[in-house]
Amino acid sequence: MKLEAGQVAVVTGAANGIGRAVAQALCDREIRVVLADIDGDAVAAAADELGPDTLAAPTDVADPHQVQRLADTTLERFGRVDLVFNNAGMGVGGPIWLVEPEDWHRLWSVNVQGVVNGMRAFVPHLIAAGRGHVVNTSSLAGVTAGPFNAPYSASKHAVVALTEALRGELDVFAPEIGATVVCPGPVDTRLLRGATEGIGTLLGAPAEARQGWLGTLTPDQWERLAPGLSLVAQMADEAMPTARAAEIILSAVEADRLYVTTHPSWTTAVSDRVARIVADMEASV
Ligand SMILES: NC(=O)c1ccc[n+]([C@@H]2O[C@H](COP(=O)([O-])OP(=O)(O)OC[C@H]3O[C@@H](n4cnc5c(N)ncnc54)[C@H](O)[C@@H]3O)[C@@H](O)[C@H]2O)c1
């Protein structure tokens, strides 16, 4: 979809990180932006900084009523909506059987239902207008899978599936409307730093300082875990600035690309995974 001055965009998770940078990049193109975030003070400050053609909308994307109100507020204020960025997300990790049910539930409500709520609230308006583009944020963890990241990775796989399904449904209902799933690699945000710095501290700390399930590991188990943790901690070294990630995302919208990533060189992990799936399936009978 061609981005043009005067269009209206909604960005969730817009108070910080990638969402904040996408909002900035849209404002730079004179696109009016509704910034939605669960952190009301931070989103008000972000909207103030970005100027008068913005609106701060405190919203918990996990709540379908709040997201519906976000759509109503957008249309009341600006009279149209062209672009919807379902970007808000959070992280939860750990061994599958040790993550508490309430943590599974909250993560799923935000990362998966949050995207569903965004599509339920806004897609009907895009179809009625006969124009628009939906951008859902997944992760490279949404097209690969690894240990100790199952809640996050599984939720991001769901976002890929949701966006692929949306593309097929729009092909029937409204082919002119675009859909993109964003699969970022490491981008320099609070979310990434929280994960990598926490792991860096853990790797440098004595065994006695390890807490929770990590404190229960035998020396052998720790030896098997630590190399993988080091790789995650090193992701910080390859973190991309948020402004660059935002430009890559907006280019994908303009090119009407279904998939986009910030780190194309990391997609060998995707091809390796797909090759393994196909090889095992072809060998099945
Ligand atoms: N930073 C990375 O390296 C990276 C990599 C892959 C995917 N992602 C994804 O990109 C998206 C943005 O992440 P980020 O790195 O900018 O994180 P961030 O923590 O910097 O920003 C996320 C924003 O979302 C908001 N938010 C959280 N829960 C919310 C909710 N329930 N309702 C509304 N807002 C909520 C937070 O308040 C915050 O402002 C997420 O979906 C994340 O999973 C990030």
Side-chain angles (χ1 to χ4, degrees), residues 95-106:
I96 292 167
W97 59 97
L98 293 179
V99 175
E100 296 295 336
E102 52 272 28
D103 292 335
W104 274 105
H105 184 256
R106 180 63 186 162

Side-chain angles (χ1 to χ4, degrees), residues 10 20 37 53 65 92 130 133 137 154 160 163 191 197 224 228 234 241 254 271 273:
V10 177
R20 171 77 175 70
D37 202 285
D53 279 338
H65 304 293
V92 171
H133 202 107
T137 301
V160 172
T163 316
L191 186 116
E197 287 172 11
R224 290 196 291 271
Q234 283 165 24
E254 294 221 277
S271 16
R273 175 170 177 266

Side-chain angles (χ1 to χ4, degrees), residues 10-12 84-88 114-115 117-119 122 134-137:
V10 177
V11 183
T12 70
V84 182
F85 294 84
N86 293 306
N87 162 79
V115 171
N117 293 337
M119 294 194 291
F122 286 100
V134 178
V135 183
N136 295 331
T137 301

Side-chain angles (χ1 to χ4, degrees), residues 50-268:
L50 289 178
D53 279 338
T54 63
L55 178 68
T59 309
D60 179 354
V61 297
D63 179 348
H65 304 293
Q66 291 189 39
V67 181
Q68 190 53 56
R69 198 173 64 215
L70 174 65
D72 296 343
T73 307
T74 301
L75 289 163
E76 275 161 29
R77 169 69 189 266
F78 292 121
R80 63 186 279 176
V81 59
D82 302 276
L83 295 145
V84 182
F85 294 84
N86 293 306
N87 162 79
M90 59 180 287
V92 171
I96 292 167
W97 59 97
L98 293 179
V99 175
E100 296 295 336
E102 52 272 28
D103 292 335
W104 274 105
H105 184 256
R106 180 63 186 162
L107 178 98
W108 218 258
S109 304
V110 174
N111 287 11
V112 182
Q113 282 307 124
V115 171
V116 172
N117 293 337
M119 294 194 291
R120 291 195 77 256
F122 286 100
V123 169
H125 295 295
L126 303 184
I127 292 176
R131 59 159 196 274
H133 202 107
V134 178
V135 183
N136 295 331
T137 301
S138 171
S139 168
L140 278 180
V143 281
T144 58
F148 307 106
N149 198 25
Y152 183 75
S153 182
S155 74
K156 293 301 188 179
H157 275 254
V159 174
V160 172
L162 285 166
T163 316
E164 289 179 358
L166 175 72
R167 176 66 274 153
E169 291 163 11
L170 289 173
D171 284 345
V172 174
F173 280 90
E176 64 279 13
I177 295 168
T180 296
V181 60
V182 185
C183 298
V187 178
D188 189 10
T189 69
R190 193 179 63 168
L191 186 116
L192 181 82
R193 282 192 299 275
T196 55
E197 287 172 11
I199 290 171
T201 307
L202 176 68
L203 288 168
E208 313 80 75
R210 291 176 206 144
Q211 293 181 344
W213 65 272
L214 289 158
T216 70
L217 296 177
T218 64
D220 275 359
Q221 289 170 334
W222 175 256
E223 286 295 307
R224 290 196 291 271
L225 175 67
L229 290 181
S230 296
L231 287 177
V232 177
Q234 283 165 24
M235 285 191 344
D237 301 339
E238 295 204 41
M240 176 181 282
T242 54
R244 175 81 187 114
E247 288 303 326
I248 289 170
I249 293 167
L250 295 194
S251 296
V253 170
E254 294 221 277
D256 201 14
R257 226 171 271 130
L258 181 54
Y259 307 94
V260 59
T261 185
T262 53
H263 290 67
S265 64
W266 289 33
T267 53
T268 45

